[in-house]
Amino acid sequence: MNLRKIVHGTWMAFCVFLLVSPALFFFIWMLSLSLKYEIDNGAYPPILIPERIAWKNYAGVFESNNFLLYFKNSIIVTGGATLLALMVGVPAGYGIARMRATKSAMVIMIARMTPGLSFLIPLFLLFQWLGLLGTLVPQILIHLVVTVPIVIWIMISYFETTPLELEEAAMIDGATRWQVFRNVALPIAKPGIVVAFILSVIFSWNNFVFGIVLASRETRTLPVAVYNMLSFEQVSWGPLAAAALIVTLPVLILTIVAQRQIIAGLTAGAVKGG
Amino acid sequence: MTAVSTPAVPASEEEARPHKGGHLKPSYWPFVLPALLVVGAVILFPWVFTIWMSLNEWRVGSDTSFVGLANYIRLATDMRFLESLWHTILYTVLSVVAPLILGTAAALAFNTKLPFRGLLRGIFVMPMMATPVAIALVWTMMFHPQLGVLNYLLSLVGIPPQAWVFHPASVIPSLVLVETWQWTPLVMLIVLGGLAAIPQEPYESAQIDGANAWQKFRYITLPMISPFLMVAVIIRTIDALKSFDIIYAITQGGPGTASETINLYLYSVAFAYYDVGYGSAIAVVFFLLIILLSLVLLHLRQRAAWSSGDGK
């Protein structure tokens, strides 16, 4: 009986290792590529752990290509789009949940089904007319296409699960709707807001398609900047892998740290941007 | 609609739903208004404007003229569009089926008690959260016919080197490999949610009746998780149809136009040729295709949803 358990456990562990290995191998290989000199990256058979570590790949990324500027751009765009989405999306999620107008959230679902590119054509023309191209404003605004539905969707499903009794009690005591929201509903909803915040940040940070159309040389976000490295200089794998790793590292760290929230949010809303 | 009925963050069970009695008056419009304005500006306006543009001859930088349905008629005979439609269908079918099978298998594995389960699950989920362009660049290096690590790994098990994304015949399967690697975790999470909702009793009685593992899976697990599988199919279908970053960053639709999906073609028409009128027509048709497919799948789901209260 006990032996059977051990065999079973080992078998399951093996299965899971098998399942995890593609992800694990990929990110280890990514790290390896980013730490090798060109001669090691061009070697056959491939080398996993080089004798000499090419730290200069990372140093090079930060020194060249306005990388710090693009980092700042990414933070402004993601931060702006996420904060704006929370400001309008959290109250909206509350209102929709309390009005039980969940059907109206269909718009959000359909928005999620729409390809990002089809928002891009009209908004590109609009931003051109408004003379906003060349600033970060168009990108912050268009990222709302991604972040607002995520926030609203998650907040609706969260506010639907929070108790009404406290809110009713506060209403009887003469609080206005806004006060009820601000002082009763909002504090309880903090975990939901955290989930909405994290997912909004990740999908905005990762967004690529809006940037390739709307960004000029000075307003690139990191994904666009990294992609441009590919076409710009003679392609050397080490620096390119280093840049790719730096771009995605914040998201990977967030994934590990906030795994529980991310999984809860994804299975509740099954949202994905872009 | 496609929400799996697990609450976003666990709340205690008895509070899970607002009770029917205590109605609050429906004057919550001020809460919704700001979002409505934003949604109107960045979502509804683009929809309406896209339809309007699609009815015009409209190129960036020159005069526009109303042409009715001419753009749509042009689409019907545009070989490159029809070819991209076929690529999209092929890419989508493969990118739904492969993650669905692997994701379900992964969910069954993760549903057992494992050492380091949280950590393993975290690693497993990483591909879908990582920045698509960043991982696309690394995949491009791994696909390299001479220096790529994939051909080396194949050589270890005696398989001859492949051309991967560098040959028209293998480019779509290779891209699907990336898409599968990326999105199997999402299917896994959805199915895992379904598995968690299955009660123990059916398994216990099946055990008494002497059912084997496969029979238990086929006659208990599979019917119970089928609504969740349908959710996964719907989400995967929508996402695979819309897939852009991976394809654009790895092949840009090439070699030639061998991996050009509708989305990629749409991009070229609108932002390489600046033919936004025609591009809008493609966008409208593409959007209708997605909605149509979603409705068909939702209909199928309604028919499959005879178990587990999956309302929303």
Side-chain angles (χ1 to χ4, degrees), chain B residues 199-217:
Chain B
Q200 274 304 306
E201 293 83 32
Y203 292 103
E204 282 158 12
S205 35
Q207 186 76 40
I208 294 164
D209 293 344
N212 63 30
W214 165 251
Q215 285 169 326
K216 280 188 216 162
F217 174 75

Side-chain angles (χ1 to χ4, degrees), chain B residues 20-81:
Chain B
K20 283 252 147 46
H23 267 290
L24 298 172
K25 287 194 193 77
S27 55
Y28 286 90
W29 282 105
F31 289 98
V32 186
L33 198 64
L36 216 57
L37 291 175
V38 170
V39 168
V42 300
I43 293 174
L44 298 178
F45 158 75
W47 282 342
V48 175
F49 198 64
T50 299
I51 293 172
W52 167 245
M53 279 192 295
S54 75
L55 302 174
N56 285 273
E57 168 79 29
W58 194 317
R59 283 167 202 275
V60 174
S62 52
D63 292 338
T64 65
S65 59
F66 185 82
V67 292
L69 294 174
N71 283 326
Y72 291 93
I73 293 162
R74 183 176 152 201
L75 260 185
T77 53
D78 183 346
M79 283 317 290
R80 197 167 153 191
F81 172 73

Side-chain angles (χ1 to χ4, degrees), chain B residues 243-244 247-248 252-253 259-268:
Chain B
S243 188
F244 180 83
I247 306 175
Y248 184 84
Q252 287 187 294
S259 63
E260 189 173 74
T261 58
I262 299 178
N263 222 359
L264 269 283
Y265 184 47
L266 170 57
Y267 177 83
S268 294

Side-chain angles (χ1 to χ4, degrees), chain A residues 22-36 41 47-48 50 57-58 226 237-250 252, chain B residues 126-127 130-139 141-142 149 181:
Chain A
L24 201 57
F25 173 75
F26 178 90
F27 289 106
I28 289 173
W29 191 250
M30 189 176 186
L31 183 67
S32 164
L33 283 167
S34 75
L35 289 173
K36 284 185 289 196
N41 271 330
I47 301 166
L48 180 63
N57 290 343
Y58 284 89
V226 166
W237 286 10
L240 199 56
L245 196 63
I246 293 170
V247 169
T248 196
L249 198 63
L252 293 183
Chain B
M126 274 162 69
T131 309
V133 177
I135 62 170
L137 294 182
V138 176
W139 274 101
M141 298 176 203
M142 291 169 65
V149 71
W181 175 84

Side-chain angles (χ1 to χ4, degrees), chain B residues 146-275:
Chain B
Q146 282 86 45
L147 305 174
V149 71
L150 289 184
N151 274 345
Y152 171 72
L153 291 178
L154 288 186
S155 76
L156 292 181
V157 287
I159 299 172
Q162 306 293 312
W164 302 107
V165 293
F166 300 96
H167 190 276
S170 57
V171 61
I172 289 182
S174 303
L175 290 170
V176 169
L177 177 70
V178 181
E179 178 100 15
T180 303
W181 175 84
Q182 218 188 340
W183 290 109
T184 294
L186 186 64
V187 177
M188 187 278 280
L189 290 178
I190 293 169
V191 176
L192 200 58
L195 289 172
I198 301 181
Q200 274 304 306
E201 293 83 32
Y203 292 103
E204 282 158 12
S205 35
Q207 186 76 40
I208 294 164
D209 293 344
N212 63 30
W214 165 251
Q215 285 169 326
K216 280 188 216 162
F217 174 75
R218 173 67 188 78
Y219 295 105
I220 303 172
T221 312
L222 200 56
M224 295 284 236
I225 61 170
S226 69
F228 291 85
L229 289 176
M230 279 313 294
V231 170
V233 168
I234 294 169
I235 292 172
R236 219 47 297 289
T237 304
I238 294 170
D239 288 346
L241 283 169
K242 297 198 314 178
S243 188
F244 180 83
D245 294 8
I246 289 291
I247 306 175
Y248 184 84
I250 296 180
T251 69
Q252 287 187 294
T257 56
S259 63
E260 189 173 74
T261 58
I262 299 178
N263 222 359
L264 269 283
Y265 184 47
L266 170 57
Y267 177 83
S268 294
V269 169
F271 297 109
Y273 311 142
Y274 286 109
D275 190 348

